[in-house]
Amino acid sequence: MAGLGEIYCVSFVRGVAPEEVLRRFGVDEATFAEISLDELASRSWEESADSSAGWVGAASLGGWSVLVEPGGWQAAVAEHVFTKVSRGTELVSVCRHDYAADSFLYAIDGRQITWFDPETPGERVGDEPDRLLDRMRRLGLDPDAEEIDDALDRAFQLAAELTGLTCTPELLERRFLAAESAHGRRPGTHEGRPR
């Protein structure tokens, strides 16, 4: 996604309002502000810690909330985050990380159904790692392939199939409810793989 940089996570949360998604994610509610994606990215990179985005934003779209972490990956790989965010609902996350592993996560009601790196989809983890296998193969994320071309784009296609939402520049040209991430203030490292 243009403008989000080399590290980012875009997540979709079914039927949960943006404000509640941000609370579940773990933000400083005193910093709530309605801002553009460009401003969100700018604030996030300025305030980021080594471990995640400094700011996160959410917007409502088609029965889902779109959660954006410029410079972050918490919703896709941090169990303490995705279990809270997905409680009582579904969470689909796609994360780009140029210095570690990209990620795709599908979680339901606090359970990690499947997680994988789109470039190596044969190495899946979760309670039901094969649940999306037919869809993955159809979209070119074949676990038996030696190499996956455009792996991240294919992961976004899988997310679109699960949510009915296509991640386009137009989708992100909206105002986001944003706040400073509590995770962004903690030191730590990105491990690249949950569990």
Side-chain angles (χ1 to χ4, degrees):
M1 307 266 26
L4 290 179
E6 300 168 327
I7 302 169
Y8 63 80
C9 189
V10 178
S11 303
F12 304 88
V13 186
R14 185 192 294 272
V16 180
E19 188 171 332
E20 178 60 19
V21 168
L22 293 174
R23 282 191 183 107
R24 290 180 183 194
F25 182 89
V27 299
D28 178 352
E29 293 181 41
T31 63
F32 273 142
E34 190 174 304
I35 59 178
S36 69
L37 181 64
D38 287 342
E39 189 174 352
L40 171 63
S42 176
R43 286 186 188 190
S44 186
W45 283 103
E46 287 173 11
E47 301 294 327
S48 68
D50 290 338
S51 63
S52 69
W55 279 67
V56 295
S60 183
L61 184 70
W64 295 74
S65 281
V66 181
L67 175 68
V68 180
E69 300 171 66
W73 53 80
Q74 295 285 326
V77 301
E79 188 170 3
H80 70 281
V81 174
F82 70 70
T83 54
K84 289 178 187 174
V85 174
S86 69
R87 187 180 63 245
T89 190
E90 290 177 80
L91 168 69
V92 180
S93 293
V94 180
C95 174
R96 173 183 174 177
H97 198 304
D98 279 8
Y99 312 112
D102 294 341
S103 307
F104 180 92
L105 169 72
Y106 182 50
I108 298 175
D109 196 17
R111 291 175 45 234
Q112 179 189 69
I113 302 303
T114 188
W115 179 96
F116 60 90
D117 176 340
E119 292 188 4
T120 56
E123 302 172 20
R124 296 176 307 286
V125 295
D127 294 345
E128 300 176 55
D130 295 340
R131 183 165 178 168
L132 305 177
L133 201 50
D134 290 342
R135 290 176 173 181
M136 289 169 61
R137 284 193 169 111
R138 186 168 35 77
L139 295 170
L141 291 167
D142 188 343
D144 299 323
E146 289 185 23
E147 187 176 325
I148 307 289
D149 292 327
D150 303 316
L152 194 64
D153 290 340
R154 294 176 190 282
F156 274 110
Q157 290 171 12
L158 181 57
E161 192 162 293
L162 292 169
T163 64
L165 302 173
T166 304
C167 203
T168 63
E170 293 77 29
L171 181 150
L172 299 176
E173 286 175 4
R174 55 194 323 107
R175 304 290 286 176
F176 284 79
L177 179 63
E180 187 175 3
S181 168
H183 308 292
R185 292 193 300 252
R186 276 191 232 154
T189 59
H190 172 55
E191 297 172 10
R193 178 181 295 235
R195 287 198 193 179

